[in-house]
Structure formats: structure tokens, C-alpha cells
Amino acid sequence: MKVFSNAVTYDYSWDEVSTANWRKYGPWNNKSEHVLAVDTLSRDVDPNTGILRTERLITCKQSAPDWIKTLMGTSMDVSHVFEASYVDPSSKTVTMVSQNLTWSNLVNVQEEVIYKPMGDHQTQFVQSARITALCGGWQRIKNSIEDTLVTRFKENAVKGREGFERVLEMSRIVFAEEKARQRQLL
């Protein structure tokens, strides 16, 4: 098993970040072109805790390296990820856990992302992923697959941060315009 971890501090409030999180795969994010579809499977609020739980299926176009496709006997470039997210308004945390569905018999990728406030105008993003190739006794191949996926996570983390910064900027503009409109109505 290999582990990838990443932490970023955004200069935006938790309210801004937790709201923009739902738009991170939308048209404002030019770094998420690999995301083909995001389907909400379920969404409910726990009446006792107020926690919003959402389950989504994310469909991505992600080309695996040719040597992995050859090893797995496929040319498939579309993958599916199951994501469950938990928005806790009382502790002001957003926790998202995801699991690959595609190639899950060959590799297990479990990712966790947490957004939590760091004061009034900053939000911390902490990401971790546990990657386990399920190749039995083929340690060299197993290490190569895990190393390749960790490298992919590192590359995507940079793109993800850049794209989410753009979503945050656009969200701030839209919210500022909306507040200005509301003031004019009063």
C-alpha cells in the first residue's frame, strides 16, 4: 500500500469553500475537463445531527498508462468513483470519502478529503489516499502500479487546487453581486 497526502489552506471562509465544493466539477473549473458526469444518488439530512449526507457517482475520462492497460487487458479510458460526503454545519467540516469502482478487483483507491475552518477567512483542505494494488505475489508490478497512481494523484492535486481556486474566485464574485442586488432591493 502507498499513501498520498496533501494539505492546502484556502484564503476563503468555510462557508464559501463548503458552498463552492458543490461547483468544483462545473464549468468554472477548466481543470476538471476529465470529469464527464456527476450523478447524485442520494441526499439526506440527519434530523438529529443536521449532517447532510450525499452519495454521488463520478464518471471520469482518465487514461491509464499503456503498460497498465496491457497488464489489465483493457483499453478502457472511462472510470467510475463512488463518493460519500458529509457536511456538518455544527462543527463546520466537510468530509468526503471516495472509492474507485472501476478496476476495483485489481487496485483499491480510498480517498478522504476534509475541509475545516482555520479562523474566519481561511479553510484548510486535507487530502489523503490509500492505494493498494491487488496483484498477489507480484511485488514489482504491485509497486509499479501503486507508484504510478501516487504520481497521478500528485499531478491531479496541483490541477485540482488550481481549478478549485478558480471556482472559489468565481463564487466570490457571484455572491458579491447577489449581496449587492439584495441591498438594492432594501
Side-chain angles (χ1 to χ4, degrees), residues 18 25 38 42 49 59-61 85 90 94-95 98 124 140 159-160 167:
S18 63
Y25 298 126
V38 179
S42 70
T49 63
T59 304
C60 302
K61 181 178 173 91
S85 64
S90 63
V94 176
T95 303
S98 62
Q124 184 179 41
R140 187 171 171 191
K159 291 179 192 174
V167 171

Side-chain angles (χ1 to χ4, degrees), residues 78-93:
V78 174
S79 61
H80 300 281
V81 174
F82 174 78
E83 175 192 83
S85 64
Y86 306 87
V87 180
D88 186 342
S90 63
S91 69
K92 290 198 170 194
T93 58

Side-chain angles (χ1 to χ4, degrees), residues 74-146:
T74 184
S75 61
M76 184 169 53
D77 286 338
V78 174
S79 61
H80 300 281
V81 174
F82 174 78
E83 175 192 83
S85 64
Y86 306 87
V87 180
D88 186 342
S90 63
S91 69
K92 290 198 170 194
T93 58
V94 176
T95 303
M96 300 175 353
V97 292
S98 62
Q99 170 76 44
N100 65 303
L101 299 176
T102 305
W103 298 337
S104 60
N105 59 329
L106 300 170
V107 65
N108 184 326
V109 180
Q110 296 179 332
E111 180 182 17
E112 180 180 70
V113 168
I114 299 172
Y115 295 98
K116 59 184 177 182
M118 293 183 63
D120 291 338
H121 303 290
Q122 288 188 320
T123 302
Q124 184 179 41
F125 164 87
V126 177
Q127 174 187 30
S128 65
R130 292 187 321 271
I131 301 162
T132 307
L134 307 171
C135 302
W138 300 8
Q139 194 61 42
R140 187 171 171 191
I141 293 172
K142 184 176 178 174
N143 286 340
S144 294
I145 291 171
E146 291 172 354

